[in-house]
Amino acid sequence: MSIIAQYGDVFIILACIFGFFMAWGVGANDVANAMGTSVGSKAITIRQAILIAVVFEFLGAWLAGGQVTDTIRKGIIDPALLSDDPQLLIYGMLASLLAAGVWLFIASMRGWPVSTTHSIVGAIVGFAVAGLGVDSVGWPKVGQIAASWVVSPLLAGSIAFVLFKSVQFLIFENRDPFAAAKRYVPGYIFLVGFVVAMVTLVKGLSHVGLEMSFGDSLLIAIGIGLVVMVIGILMENRVDRAKRQRSNSSFDFNSVERVFGVLMMFTACAMAFAHGSNDVANAVGPLAAVISVVDSQGDVGGAAALPWWVLILGGGGIVVGLVTYGHKVIATVGTGITELTPSRGFAATLAAATTVVLASGTGLPVSTTQTLVGAVLGVGLARGMAALNLRVLGTIALSWVITLPAGALLSIMFFFMFKGMFG
């Protein structure tokens, strides 16, 4: 107990620095995944993507990221095991933040899209095994997370495949594609509005204190979907008139791609908000744990309400990460796997968003990164194996497998370092 009283301020300062570093990694890696399809399809430029993410990721983190964070997140460790040695939790959380931050830094420099959630989970598992023993870890929970490596890309890829095939069949292969686009695109616009609203309500705004049931979220999302559809129809009509003024041809493929480009702007904004509200917890969860234990003088069993400044620190770190290093992972997801157009990017983004919604409804643990990569893969497969860059896919798969053990090993190393420094 005297260690916490003696070094309490130092622990909080270190936790803030490491939390910011981890949030930087979330921005450089995970946010880049969310923007990759929009940039890769040329619906928006990298500069616009960064601007959208700066605004909406920060708003999401600040306005909707403030849930009450359990001292030990995700049921990986039993808090009772640490009641006699609360300082071990502080060493472990500091080590976990630093380990996950270092791994995300390495992955972002290499342009690998890895899961920030899996990075922090691997790090917490590592410290638990090193500090408390193998039996202290909730292995069924870890097994669930490992299973999501296969489940989330498969699910997102399947949805993206079906979505893009439907776009091809209903619009691009029609005898009068422009008339078909006029007929069917409003339906896709509704889908975008509906699914992205569901992502935001289910994954994001549940943290604000708005206790909405899945059914309430469903009704509100349908309303938002209808509003977005009306806006989309108005925009689509503007594209139509501009084309006919310039040309007598009944259709130009660019017209439909431009409509899908408008949709990508909607999806980019809302996905950034939902992502900021959800994944900021990866950086500020362990930070909240350290603040809670220090403030309560060693009580590890309680829950910590996040101070407002912690969310600003997390949101700020995410923004800095995206601005400084996000372009590398954006390039991998947006252009490295397969060539994207706005219609393909739309199918991939909507599939990823749908997977997140399904996962939230069923309690399945999924990674934003893996759903997006799986969705881009599904769109590529819809055009045949030749459309895929298998070398890039192999590198991505390897980086996913390495993430958990890499986080764990780095965390063990840092845990013993902190234990030696303060013990």
Side-chain angles (χ1 to χ4, degrees), residues 333-348:
V333 175
T335 58
I337 299 170
T338 190
E339 189 188 343
L340 290 176
T341 61
S343 57
R344 294 169 198 157
F346 148 76

Side-chain angles (χ1 to χ4, degrees), residues 354-417:
T354 306
T355 304
V356 173
V357 171
L358 289 172
S360 300
T362 57
L364 187 76
V366 296
S367 154
T368 317
T369 307
Q370 291 169 349
T371 53
L372 267 159
V373 170
V376 173
L377 179 62
V379 169
L381 278 173
R383 297 164 54 229
M385 282 296 285
L388 297 172
N389 187 331
L390 296 177
R391 192 159 148 253
V392 170
L393 282 170
T395 306
I396 290 171
L398 188 63
S399 71
W400 288 357
V401 173
I402 294 170
T403 293
L404 259 174
L409 288 171
L410 286 167
S411 181
I412 290 167
M413 190 171 73
F414 293 135
F415 173 74
F416 284 117
M417 183 181 83

Side-chain angles (χ1 to χ4, degrees), residues 59 97 100 121 126 180 244 342:
L59 284 175
L97 282 173
V121 166
R244 292 201 172 175

Side-chain angles (χ1 to χ4, degrees), residues 15-334:
C16 288
I17 293 168
F18 298 159
F20 186 86
F21 182 43
M22 169 68 184
W24 179 95
V26 173
N29 205 285
D30 235 25
V31 179
N33 287 313
M35 293 289 131
T37 48
S38 304
V39 175
S41 65
K42 298 183 176 62
I44 57 176
T45 63
I46 282 205
R47 190 168 289 181
Q48 287 170 326
I50 288 172
L51 195 64
I52 287 169
V54 163
V55 175
F56 286 93
E57 286 277 344
F58 186 80
L59 284 175
W62 187 30
L63 296 176
Q67 78 275 39
V68 175
T69 304
D70 289 334
T71 303
I72 307 197
R73 292 177 63 249
K74 297 185 183 292
I76 295 168
I77 312 169
D78 179 6
L81 296 170
L82 291 157
S83 54
D84 294 332
D85 295 301
Q87 69 274 13
L88 290 182
L89 174 65
I90 292 177
Y91 303 152
M93 290 295 145
L94 290 176
S96 298
L97 282 173
L98 186 55
V102 167
W103 174 244
L104 288 172
F105 177 71
I106 293 166
S108 301
M109 284 188 66
R110 305 289 300 174
W112 298 338
V114 298
S115 167
T116 54
T117 308
H118 292 177
S119 302
I120 197 73
V121 166
I124 292 172
V125 167
F127 116 73
V129 170
L132 303 168
V134 177
D135 295 338
S136 66
V137 178
W139 291 110
K141 188 73 180 176
V142 177
Q144 249 190 330
I145 292 161
S148 75
W149 291 347
V150 179
V151 175
S152 53
L154 268 181
L155 188 58
S158 303
I159 296 169
F161 182 91
V162 171
L163 261 177
F164 186 63
K165 278 292 187 189
S166 75
V167 171
Q168 275 186 323
F169 177 74
L170 293 173
I171 296 172
F172 290 109
E173 292 176 6
N174 198 286
R175 266 189 302 182
D176 186 354
F178 194 70
K182 291 274 288 179
R183 196 178 314 124
Y184 295 115
V185 164
Y188 289 119
I189 295 173
F190 168 78
L191 262 180
V192 170
F194 168 74
V195 170
V196 170
M198 280 298 281
V199 170
T200 308
L201 292 167
V202 175
K203 286 284 268 186
L205 298 180
S206 58
H207 304 325
V208 181
L210 286 171
E211 286 302 321
M212 282 190 294
S213 67
F214 197 80
D216 291 338
S217 299
L218 197 68
L219 287 172
I220 294 169
I222 289 170
I224 292 171
L226 291 170
V227 170
V228 172
M229 184 172 78
V230 171
I231 295 168
I233 289 169
L234 293 173
M235 288 182 165
E236 183 195 43
N237 288 340
R238 269 171 45 199
V239 171
D240 179 16
R241 279 199 302 274
K243 257 319 181 198
R244 292 201 172 175
Q245 282 165 4
R246 289 203 306 272
S247 166
N248 291 324
S249 64
S250 60
F251 173 75
D252 184 339
F253 278 107
N254 290 332
S255 300
V256 171
E257 290 295 359
R258 278 166 62 207
V259 173
F260 281 113
V262 170
L263 292 186
M264 291 297 287
M265 292 288 276
F266 282 113
T267 56
C269 293
M271 282 295 281
F273 182 87
H275 180 269
S277 67
N278 184 61
D279 274 29
V280 72
N282 287 330
V284 302
L287 169 54
V290 173
I291 293 169
S292 170
V293 174
V294 171
D295 286 350
S296 64
Q297 292 293 306
D299 177 20
V300 300
L306 288 182
W308 62 270
W309 58 266
V310 170
L311 292 166
I312 290 181
L313 182 130
I318 284 174
V319 165
V320 173
L322 178 72
V323 170
T324 53
Y325 249 97
H327 60 278
K328 290 206 171 189
V329 179
I330 283 177
T332 302
V333 175

